[in-house]
Structures are given as C-alpha cells and as structure tokens.
Amino acid sequence: MFAQPKLTICVPSRNRQPYFQETIRSLLANMRMDVEYVFADNSDDPSIMDDFMEEVFGDPRVKYLPSVDRVLPMVENWDRSVEAATGEFICMIGDDDYVDVNVADLIRRSHAEQPAMDVLIWSRLTFNWPGNRPQRCNVAASLDTGVYSVPRATAYQDFFSWRGGAPTPNMAFGFYHGAVSKRVMDKIKAKFGAKYCEYPVVDFENICKVLVTAEHMVYAGRPFSVLGSCAKSNSAKIKTADNVKEQLAIFTRETGRNIDDDPHMKDFPFPTPLGLTACIAQVQHWFLTRYGYSPMPGWEANFAAACGNSCSLMATQQDNDRAIEGYRAVFAKWHGGKYLKHFQPVDFVDPAVGQFFTGVSDKQLFMDEEIGGVQTPAELYHFVSQMLVSPEALELNLNENHRAA
C-alpha cells in the first residue's frame, strides 16, 4: 500500500453476518492497493465473523475489529472504526450496502484540482435485498455528469432549514456514503466530546458536525454507492409503527438510554416513534442545543411540511394514519399550534398498487431493482454503471457553485 491510503472504507456491523460477509467480498474483489478497509463486528456470536475473516487474513488492506466481551452501542462501534482508519479520506457504509472502491480516483482528481477539498459526496442508488421486497420497487439513477463545489453556507442553510420540505433534509454532507477528510474528522474529535461519534443517530450527527467544521465541499451527481436494505435493517422497519417501537426498544436497551428522555427533548416534543423525519430533527435539535448554535430562521414551517410529506412513506394506510395523528397532536401543542397549518399530509398511495415507472424523467433513469436478476447491491451497481457516464469522463466544475440535488 501507499504510505497513507487515499481512502478508508469503514463497515461496522451487528448480527447481520450474511450481508456483512457479502459486502466484504464485494469490496475486496477490487484489488487496488490505495484503499484501506476497517471491518468492525459487534455481534452476539463473535465466532461467525472471526471464522470468516480468516479467509482474508494477511490482506494488508484490511483491519478487522472483532466483537468484544460486551455489546457495544452503535456509537462506540462506529467510533472505533474511525479511530482505526488511517486513510486521507474516510467513508462509512452499512453492512448491507456497497460503495465503488474506485471513487478513490474521483477523490484524487478532485483533491488535485481543489487541494482544500474537505468533503466529497455523491448520488446514491437504493436496493432492497431479496427477502425485503413487500412490493415491486424501482431504482433511480442520476444522469448528472458534473462534479461541483458547494458553498458551506448553502449546505448548512439547506440542511438545518429543511428547505423544500422533503422528508429528509437536503445537503447530507457527511461520511455516511460520502468521504470526509481525516483532518476534518480529527477536528471534530477535538472540538466535540473528544470522540468522532457521540450521538446515537450517528450518520446525521456526523452531518451536523461536518457542516460546521469542513470548509470546502464537493458534490458529484453520478452515483458511486448503493444504500442497501435487508430484512434486518433499520430502514426496512421505519415504515410501520409497530416495528419502529420494536427497534426503539432494542436501540434503547443497547444504547443504555432512551434518547426521547434526554434533557434537550423537553422543549422538542417529537418522539422517535413518529418516524425518520422526527429522528433527524431530534439530532439537529440536540446538536444546536448542546453546542450553542442558533436555529435557522423559518425552519419550523419547513419542518412541519417535511413531516406532512413523510407520512405518505409509511407502509400501510393504517401506519400513515397513525403517523398523521401523532404529528398533528404534537403540532397542535408545539409553540401554541403556530405551525400546525404547515403540517399538510399528502394523500397516501399504497405502494403495493401504486404506479410503477421505468424510463427517464427529470435527468434520472428509473429501473426495476430486479433488472438483470441482480441479487446484491454490488451486482446492481455494476449493472447500472454500464448505463452511466464513466467516472473518468465526469466533468470537474469545482469553480462553479452548486446546490446538490
């Protein structure tokens, strides 16, 4: 390997060994030597991954962090992954995800043209693993061929203001399916809590901290990774109220506390069971409160709109109705009901009977996620990549400011 790898890819895992093993195989299939891997197991039965990792013993690119004598909270498993990383940039993915190792070339090209670059993020694909497909789904692949600079002020404003009212805020500049320089991560550790990862919702916590620490951010419109969703993943369980409550109970037990009872939640009455939008806003509120940053003007109305849009993403009409009822009850009391008028849930469309679209629309290519018989995120990525511009042909527009899609 080089004296310092250009990129470290961290993959923390807990009790999802078959997916973890497939992800490891997919990553290591690329033989380039300027990428480091940190695989951190945190499972109840350590022997499964310990035995598997013997197959890759001796690969100089791999650092394996085995399970310890206790179950680690997610934040600790992620934190030790970053602690072990030595790459110039760090990327974090889930154990059922995939990232193109060759994104290191784009990092290198972009960094050469803009040496001050701190963060590079890219468009992503989505994939439901076989066994987690309650209905037919499509995959959207961005056809954007540009690589752009994004002013930090723009990224900060969009994320914390909930501009546009989408269920998840725009400008997700962080290490989860992105690449953040180790220099910035070390600054975060020094500045916030003496840890790389501090809050239990680790991916969005990192976004908050990157947006106030990094200086030069770059966005690539082309996809370079796949957000996988297996039957055991959190993303597979956030669309039904009962599963959300079950996951919260597990999360509370393993974290050692219920984050809904944290002191900062006293003036932010949006509990975790309401869903992902509420959880993200919790992280933002925790971060702003703990570290003394001011909220963005007007964020409350945009957040209320986001909550209304998020309800339609629930799995069933019943779960949709529960989410609406829960949000409406909170908004009716929060700030004296001032923002209730901005909470306008859209009509629920049953995903099992909704329109299924393939083709090109709004600079995106929509495909059946079962296209070509793909069985893993890596297979999907390599199939879709054949239809997209090659990474080498991407246009670097780093002197052109841009708002990420």
Side-chain angles (χ1 to χ4, degrees):
M1 296 183 69
F2 297 111
Q4 181 184 27
K6 192 67 179 177
L7 176 67
T8 296
I9 297 173
C10 298
V11 190
S13 179
R14 171 151 172 75
N15 288 341
R16 300 199 301 219
Q17 297 92 343
Y19 305 99
F20 193 21
Q21 292 172 4
E22 181 56 42
T23 297
I24 291 172
R25 291 190 192 98
S26 299
L27 293 172
L28 296 184
N30 187 309
M31 297 307 296
R32 65 183 302 152
M33 296 298 291
D34 59 341
V35 176
E36 173 185 65
Y37 303 93
V38 176
F39 302 129
D41 188 41
N42 186 30
S43 296
D44 295 329
D45 182 355
S47 66
I48 299 174
M49 287 307 302
D50 290 350
D51 292 345
F52 173 81
M53 290 305 296
E54 289 184 3
E55 299 178 19
V56 298
F57 180 76
D59 189 324
R61 303 173 297 170
V62 173
K63 289 183 178 178
Y64 174 55
L65 308 181
S67 298
V68 295
D69 58 359
R70 63 183 178 91
V71 174
L72 297 175
M74 180 188 294
V75 66
E76 289 188 33
N77 201 34
W78 285 47
D79 194 77
R80 68 173 182 153
S81 300
V82 180
E83 192 72 55
T86 64
E88 192 174 353
F89 285 80
I90 297 173
C91 172
M92 186 81 66
I93 64 170
D95 57 9
D96 55 355
D97 298 340
Y98 179 72
V99 62
D100 183 354
V101 178
N102 291 325
V103 75
D105 289 328
L106 180 60
I107 295 172
R108 192 179 300 279
R109 282 180 60 204
S110 301
H111 204 208
E113 182 164 320
Q114 177 51 272
M117 183 184 79
D118 293 311
V119 188
L120 171 69
I121 65 168
W122 48 80
S123 176
R124 301 95 179 245
L125 306 175
T126 60
F127 180 75
N128 294 301
W129 284 76
N132 183 38
R133 295 176 179 172
Q135 65 274 327
R136 192 180 183 193
C137 291
N138 59 14
V139 177
S142 170
L143 300 176
D144 192 346
T145 62
V147 183
Y148 315 92
S149 291
V150 177
R152 182 173 74 165
T154 299
Y156 184 95
Q157 180 181 31
D158 282 3
F159 180 75
F160 283 103
S161 72
W162 293 80
R163 181 183 70 89
T168 57
N170 198 13
M171 294 297 185
F173 278 91
F175 63 14
Y176 189 63
H177 287 260
V180 177
S181 72
K182 184 64 158 56
R183 180 177 60 83
V184 165
M185 291 303 300
D186 288 343
K187 283 185 177 182
I188 286 173
K189 181 180 180 181
K191 188 176 182 179
F192 303 109
K195 295 180 179 179
Y196 294 110
C197 305
E198 184 181 6
Y199 192 76
V201 186
V202 192
D203 48 351
F204 284 95
E205 175 220 347
N206 180 254
I207 293 169
C208 293
K209 293 179 177 179
V210 165
L211 287 174
V212 300
T213 306
E215 294 291 342
H216 297 278
M217 303 176 182
V218 173
Y219 168 75
R222 185 192 190 278
F224 277 95
S225 63
V226 183
L227 291 158
S229 178
C230 68
K232 294 183 178 182
S233 69
N234 293 333
S235 59
K237 297 181 180 295
I238 61 174
K239 297 183 179 181
T240 63
D242 291 340
N243 282 337
V244 168
K245 293 178 181 177
E246 177 187 349
Q247 287 300 104
L248 176 60
I250 295 171
F251 186 74
T252 297
R253 183 172 65 249
E254 295 183 353
T255 303
R257 76 180 200 266
N258 184 347
I259 59 176
D260 289 346
D261 295 332
D262 282 358
H264 72 277
M265 291 294 291
K266 290 180 180 179
D267 59 348
F268 190 76
F270 293 88
T272 300
L274 288 176
L276 178 60
T277 305
C279 288
I280 297 170
Q282 285 179 12
V283 182
Q284 294 177 336
H285 180 71
W286 165 83
F287 174 74
L288 296 172
T289 301
R290 178 174 176 82
Y291 291 109
Y293 291 91
S294 299
M296 291 297 303
W299 77 271
E300 298 95 339
N302 293 338
F303 170 63
C307 294
N309 290 325
S310 73
C311 295
S312 66
L313 301 179
M314 302 302 285
T316 67
Q317 182 71 61
Q318 183 182 30
D319 288 304
N320 171 266
D321 294 343
R322 286 179 182 174
I324 292 174
E325 181 181 356
Y327 273 119
R328 185 167 283 143
V330 176
F331 277 113
K333 297 179 181 178
W334 191 49
H335 292 292
K338 180 179 179 180
Y339 300 101
L340 178 60
K341 64 183 179 182
H342 299 283
F343 176 70
Q344 299 181 5
V346 298
D347 292 336
F348 176 75
V349 177
D350 189 338
V353 298
Q355 183 179 8
F356 184 84
F357 173 77
T358 58
V360 176
S361 176
D362 193 26
K363 297 183 180 180
Q364 293 194 92
L365 174 62
F366 291 85
M367 297 155 285
D368 189 329
E369 71 177 347
E370 297 184 8
I371 189 169
V374 298
Q375 296 293 303
T376 69
E379 290 181 3
L380 173 71
Y381 178 82
H382 293 304
F383 189 98
V384 173
S385 288
Q386 299 177 61
M387 308 179 207
L388 304 177
V389 64
S390 69
E392 297 79 12
L394 291 174
E395 307 165 15
L396 299 187
N397 303 298
L398 301 188
N399 295 318
E400 175 185 335
N401 290 335
H402 183 74
R403 246 191 173 106

